[in-house]
Amino acid sequence: MARQANQQNQETIETISQYEHIRLLTRMYIGRLGDGTDPNDGIYNFIKEIVANSIHEFRQGYGNSIEIVIEDNVVSIRDYGRGIPLKYLADAVGKIAMGGIYSKYHIPQRLKVINILSSEFIAQSVRDGEARTVCFERGIMKDDLWETGIEEGDGTLIQFRADKEIFGKYEYHIELLDSYLRQQVCINKGLEIKLNERRYKSEDGLLDLINDNLVERPLYPPIHLRGENIEVVITHCLGLQKRVIHSFANSNYTPRGGIHKKALCRAITKTLCKFYDKEFSTSDCCSLLWGAISIWVEDAYFYDSCKSELATKNMQDGGPTISKYVGEFIDKELIEYLSKHPYIAQIIKKEIMYIKSGTKKSKKYDKSKI
């Protein structure tokens, strides 16, 4: 009887394709659906995924502007990078198994998901005066056009309309992208993003982002440290009940943190102990800390589809661990900064001593000396 029941159960198992899986279980791939009233709704995640690919080109040194146009629920995103290699374009946006690095161009797997979940999807790549345009409907290719003699600059255009069969009735609220786009230009200094008539650009990188979001009065001007693949801003603030560290990995905001965020607090503590030649705990050094860390690793992966927590352990294959990289960077740059700014070093030391003693009472400092 048990064997017969098992056979019956096997007969009821239905096998579906990955294409069907994406359309039936959409939330597994994009986090949530939504109607456009929440900045975390899937229609905005589509935009973020495509922009992230354009930013990857910028980080490689190709193209410093991204243009986004949203009109009648159709989204167009154009970058001025190298453009997806023409011979790979259809597969890059249409084949589920296609992804990785092709002709030194990074092709994300998520483009296929966006394609399958869009009632209209167009991808165009321009390279060296040639262009290829592929058109899809719900992941099925309908047209493939090749052109020569193109005068516009190299780059990639992605245009899509999210499928109402999946998302129901929805509408884009452009203001909900404001914070995200501001973040992107701050953690990618030199990048300019245009959204319809809005323009986003940062002069001071991550420092601009921290200054924009300070809700408490800092004890001293935020310390801004920059490296090739890392950027850190820190200060101590009056009125904080606990430390506030914003973290980013490969341009993704990681609200749950990850190795890079944990490494930052450990590195700051170790460096301050070394600089002041005293024993301090992480709580002593970081309990009133306000700051941010942005890091770029070669092959980032995350614990969830929303990329809220970094899981990567190494900066690159065979390279140093993220913990070691952050630690060495902070040790060198923060000590150098404090050595050049002795009055700020004095403020930090006194603040740590207040916290260590349990008073947590900050002193007013002479700003003219800072």
Side-chain angles (χ1 to χ4, degrees):
M1 290 293 292
R3 182 177 180 181
Q4 184 179 358
N6 186 49
Q7 288 175 341
Q8 290 175 344
N9 288 337
Q10 288 179 352
E11 291 173 359
T12 62
I13 295 174
E14 181 181 359
T15 302
I16 62 175
S17 68
Q18 191 170 355
Y19 173 92
E20 294 170 312
H21 195 271
I22 291 171
R23 287 187 65 85
L24 287 172
L25 301 172
T26 303
R27 288 180 178 86
M28 289 183 61
Y29 295 88
I30 65 171
R32 57 177 289 159
L33 299 179
D35 60 2
T37 55
D38 187 290
N40 296 309
D41 286 346
I43 58 173
Y44 300 115
N45 290 337
F46 282 4
I47 294 173
K48 294 173 185 178
E49 287 290 343
I50 297 168
V51 167
N53 189 54
S54 297
I55 289 175
H56 191 278
E57 279 292 279
F58 166 76
R59 298 287 303 200
Q60 297 297 312
Y62 302 99
N64 60 3
S65 66
I66 302 170
E67 297 170 357
I68 306 171
V69 177
I70 302 176
E71 187 175 358
D72 189 30
N73 282 349
V74 175
V75 179
S76 301
I77 302 174
R78 174 65 152 96
D79 68 37
Y80 293 88
R82 291 167 292 179
I84 297 174
L86 302 192
K87 66 178 181 179
Y88 296 125
L89 181 63
D91 289 344
V93 301
K95 282 191 177 180
I96 296 173
M98 184 83 166
I101 306 296
Y102 291 83
S103 294
K104 299 182 180 180
Y105 188 96
H106 176 261
I107 299 175
Q109 185 70 24
R110 295 292 183 89
L111 280 179
K112 297 78 167 174
V113 174
I114 298 170
N115 186 352
I116 291 170
L117 298 178
S118 298
S119 56
E120 306 168 19
F121 184 94
I122 297 173
Q124 181 186 69
S125 179
V126 179
R127 275 195 163 204
D128 301 322
E130 294 185 272
R132 185 182 182 186
T133 305
V134 290
C135 305
F136 293 77
E137 293 179 8
R138 298 180 175 90
I140 308 301
M141 191 161 77
K142 298 296 183 179
D143 202 5
D144 186 354
L145 176 66
W146 292 72
E147 300 172 273
T148 58
I150 303 299
E151 295 183 359
E152 63 180 280
D154 291 356
T156 300
L157 167 70
I158 301 291
Q159 184 179 96
F160 68 90
R161 183 194 295 273
D163 192 354
K164 287 187 176 181
E165 287 185 7
I166 301 294
F167 293 90
K169 186 178 180 179
Y170 66 86
E171 181 180 357
Y172 288 95
H173 298 270
I174 291 178
E175 64 277 6
L176 295 184
L177 286 166
D178 189 78
S179 176
Y180 165 73
L181 295 178
R182 177 62 175 164
Q183 281 182 359
Q184 294 309 302
V185 296
C186 286
I187 59 182
N188 294 285
K189 184 182 176 183
L191 175 67
E192 179 179 80
I193 300 178
K194 296 179 181 177
L195 170 60
N196 289 0
E197 301 301 319
R198 304 185 185 199
R199 175 180 173 272
Y200 300 84
K201 193 168 185 179
S202 168
E203 297 299 327
D204 291 314
L206 197 60
L207 180 61
D208 283 339
L209 186 63
I210 288 301
N211 285 332
D212 287 348
N213 290 278
L214 278 172
V215 294
E216 300 289 347
R217 182 167 64 88
L219 291 176
Y220 51 88
I223 298 171
H224 188 194
L225 310 173
R226 291 179 63 102
E228 183 178 356
N229 292 306
I230 186 172
E231 189 172 4
V232 170
V233 178
I234 53 172
T235 186
H236 285 81
C237 286
L238 293 167
L240 283 184
Q241 298 302 312
K242 60 180 181 179
R243 64 175 171 263
V244 177
I245 302 292
H246 303 282
S247 61
F248 303 86
N250 287 31
S251 297
N252 298 286
Y253 175 48
T254 50
R256 294 175 57 192
I259 294 173
H260 58 321
K261 185 175 180 178
K262 294 176 183 177
L264 177 62
C265 291
R266 289 197 301 266
I268 290 172
T269 302
K270 184 177 180 179
T271 299
L272 292 180
C273 289
K274 176 181 177 180
F275 183 79
Y276 297 119
D277 193 23
K278 291 187 176 294
E279 290 295 325
F280 297 128
S281 68
T282 299
S283 179
D284 297 335
C285 296
C286 302
S287 64
L288 298 182
L289 201 67
W290 183 290
I293 179 172
S294 175
I295 197 166
W296 192 273
V297 302
E298 188 175 86
D299 187 21
Y301 61 94
F302 303 82
Y303 284 112
D304 56 14
S305 62
C306 296
K307 301 182 179 180
S308 62
E309 184 177 0
L310 181 66
T312 312
K313 294 182 179 180
N314 292 77
M315 290 296 294
Q316 58 200 21
D317 187 26
T321 64
I322 290 175
S323 294
K324 181 179 180 182
Y325 182 83
V326 173
E328 290 178 351
F329 171 78
I330 292 296
D331 181 70
K332 177 180 181 296
E333 298 296 331
L334 183 56
I335 286 180
E336 183 177 330
Y337 182 93
L338 295 177
S339 298
K340 292 180 178 178
H341 300 82
Y343 191 66
I344 291 180
Q346 180 185 356
I347 294 173
I348 294 174
K349 182 180 179 180
K350 288 184 177 180
E351 192 62 29
I352 293 173
M353 297 302 293
Y354 285 136
I355 295 170
K356 188 176 181 64
S357 67
T359 61
K360 293 189 178 182
K361 183 179 179 181
S362 298
K363 180 182 178 181
K364 292 184 179 179
Y365 300 101
D366 185 355
K367 293 184 178 181
S368 66
K369 295 183 180 181
I370 297 177

